[in-house]
Amino acid sequence: GHAVLKVDKDTEKRALLILDAIFPALVARGPALRFGERYAGSRRYALEAVIGGREVEFWLVERLEQTAHVETAEEKARRATYGSSWAPKVDQTPSGNFILEAASPWDARLRHRWRDSEQQRLEGRLGDIVLGLETIAAAWTEHDRQVQQRQAAQAREERRQQVSAARAAHLDGLAQDLVAMAKAADEAEKVRGFLARVEAKMPEDERSDAFSAWFKWATGHAEQLDPLSRPERIAKR
């Protein structure tokens, strides 16, 4: 991440004075200010203005200037001994110029960075900064609304697909059940035909108790096989 405040000791007082001017200007227009860890125990901090219920994170840093590194005597000696001084190629030094930046939606294309220039310092742009933070907060609110709309649309589409898949599976189950009932009806009809032939072959006076019990069971089994014996159960939802 980035630092909430990153300035040199020599410019620290000016940085604090700028923040001391921005904070009451924000609070006077309604927003609350919040500073703390981004996530509990993360040791990474954020400074936010809560505007219209939406947080806008912002930070103040001092721009660094890069200059070609000039080797020290120690580095020259190290180079002479080891062939390399392992010194950096450039030095970064505080420039005295500040940049105040705020996090804004990537697609909002709003001004989210204010910097010192030769024409004007940040102290003279505090009003623009406060209004800019409010504009960014409105953009975040709209961004959140659009995200929620996309998420809701995605949830509806996922639900539609789930319902469609469930309906297709159910219709497939109905088709399988229909074919199974047709086969069962044919099977029951075959069993009945067989039992009719058995009954014709077996005179009544020769039928034992065991035969009669089995024939009764077989007739009942044919009824159980045949869905037409219970037509009220044939149709399914």
Side-chain angles (χ1 to χ4, degrees):
H2 48 72
V4 170
L5 179 63
K6 188 176 182 180
V7 297
D8 188 58
K9 275 290 183 183
D10 293 338
T11 54
E12 182 180 42
K13 182 176 180 180
R14 179 188 169 219
L16 294 176
L17 287 172
I18 289 174
L19 293 180
D20 191 47
I22 291 176
F23 289 173
L26 280 170
V27 173
R29 296 172 65 87
L33 288 168
R34 187 161 61 199
F35 173 77
E37 288 184 312
R38 292 172 182 268
Y39 313 103
S42 67
R43 297 181 63 82
R44 295 174 63 190
Y45 295 84
L47 173 63
E48 298 171 333
V50 185
I51 305 172
R54 186 55 169 89
E55 305 86 354
V56 177
E57 187 178 350
F58 64 101
W59 52 94
L60 179 64
V61 297
E62 183 174 357
R63 187 170 60 82
L64 299 176
E65 289 182 340
Q66 291 188 347
T67 56
H69 178 71
V70 179
E71 287 187 340
T72 64
E74 180 182 354
E75 290 168 346
K76 289 178 180 178
R78 198 159 52 223
R79 178 183 294 280
T81 303
Y82 302 106
S84 175
S85 67
W86 294 285
K89 294 184 181 298
V90 297
D91 291 325
Q92 292 187 334
T93 56
S95 67
N97 294 319
F98 289 169
I99 300 173
L100 190 142
E101 190 168 9
S104 66
W106 66 270
D107 56 347
R109 298 182 181 179
L110 296 173
R111 183 181 187 91
H112 60 279
R113 185 182 294 114
W114 297 265
R115 64 176 72 225
D116 284 332
S117 67
E118 293 182 2
Q119 292 75 27
Q120 193 172 29
R121 308 287 275 177
L122 286 184
E123 287 86 344
R125 309 179 70 179
L126 299 182
D128 290 341
I129 292 172
V130 171
L131 291 176
L133 293 176
E134 291 179 347
T135 302
I136 290 173
W140 272 119
T141 299
E142 175 61 18
H143 172 82
D144 294 344
R145 187 189 66 81
Q146 292 180 4
V147 169
Q148 290 173 357
Q149 282 186 336
R150 289 195 294 268
Q151 290 175 342
Q154 182 179 358
R156 288 194 299 270
E157 176 60 19
E158 289 176 354
R159 175 60 181 164
R160 186 195 66 77
Q161 292 179 2
Q162 291 171 356
V163 170
S164 179
R167 182 179 290 112
H170 185 68
L171 292 175
D172 183 63
L174 283 178
Q176 294 181 27
D177 178 65
L178 178 61
V179 172
M181 286 192 297
K183 290 180 179 179
D186 290 343
E187 191 72 17
E189 198 61 31
K190 289 180 181 179
V191 171
R192 289 195 188 96
F194 173 73
L195 291 177
R197 293 197 298 274
V198 170
E199 188 177 28
K201 289 286 187 179
M202 193 69 174
E204 286 191 27
D205 56 354
E206 295 182 10
R207 298 175 187 175
S208 65
D209 291 342
F211 175 87
S212 298
W214 174 86
F215 192 86
K216 182 179 180 181
W217 168 83
T219 302
H221 182 67
E223 289 294 309
Q224 290 294 323
L225 283 176
D226 191 358
L228 295 174
S229 64
R230 299 177 301 279
E232 73 282 358
R233 299 184 182 180
I234 289 177
K236 308 299 191 302
R237 181 178 177 84

